[in-house]
């Protein structure tokens, strides 16, 4: 029996459950690629959508995400009357990072 191909498996799972079309007229869903960005780039998801997707994948593949910190990838939300937070550089969040975390069984990018 061969080694499990997590890259293909996860890209297919994300395509099936979170894929999108190039345009509303195009019936074909674009296949997810490992280099795609989640917080910018191809997915460019809102924080709550990204969190839902990540928790889904982490749960499905039994990934320990106790060290995952959303604030490393998205700006903190604040009410309009609150003081503006200082700008900080956010880390990229990619499909490839999810694949690597699934392979080792834990999120290690925020250790």
């Amino acid at each position: 029996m061969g080694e499990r191909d997590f890259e293909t498996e996860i890209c297919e799972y994300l395509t099936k459950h979170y894929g999108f079309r190039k345009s509303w007229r195009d019936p074909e869903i674009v296949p997810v690629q490992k280099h795609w960005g989640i917080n910018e780039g191809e997915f460019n998801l809102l924080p709550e959508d990204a969190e839902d997707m990540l928790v889904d994948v982490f749960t499905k593949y039994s990934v320990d995400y106790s060290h995952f910190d959303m604030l490393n990838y998205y700006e903190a939300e604040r009410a309009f009357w609150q003081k503006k937070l200082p700008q900080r550089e956010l880390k990229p969040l990619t499909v490839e990072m999810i694949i690597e975390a699934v392979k080792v069984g834990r999120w290690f990018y925020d250790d």
Side-chain angles (χ1 to χ4, degrees), residues 45-58:
L45 295 175
L46 296 171
E48 53 272 14
D49 295 334
E51 187 172 28
D52 288 345
M53 181 179 79
L54 292 168
V55 168
D56 175 38
V57 174
F58 292 159

Side-chain angles (χ1 to χ4, degrees), residues 8-20 29-33 36 43:
T8 301
E9 189 176 330
I10 291 167
C11 286
E12 287 175 356
Y13 181 81
L14 293 174
T15 299
K16 180 179 178 183
H17 296 279
Y18 302 97
F20 57 89
I29 294 181
V30 179
V32 172
Q33 304 296 311
W36 280 17
F43 272 115

Side-chain angles (χ1 to χ4, degrees), residues 5 12 19 24 27 56 75 83 85 87 98 106 108:
D5 183 3
E12 287 175 356
W24 64 272
D56 175 38
E75 291 290 337
K83 182 179 175 184
L85 299 172
Q87 286 284 4
I98 296 171
R106 70 180 188 86
F108 57 88

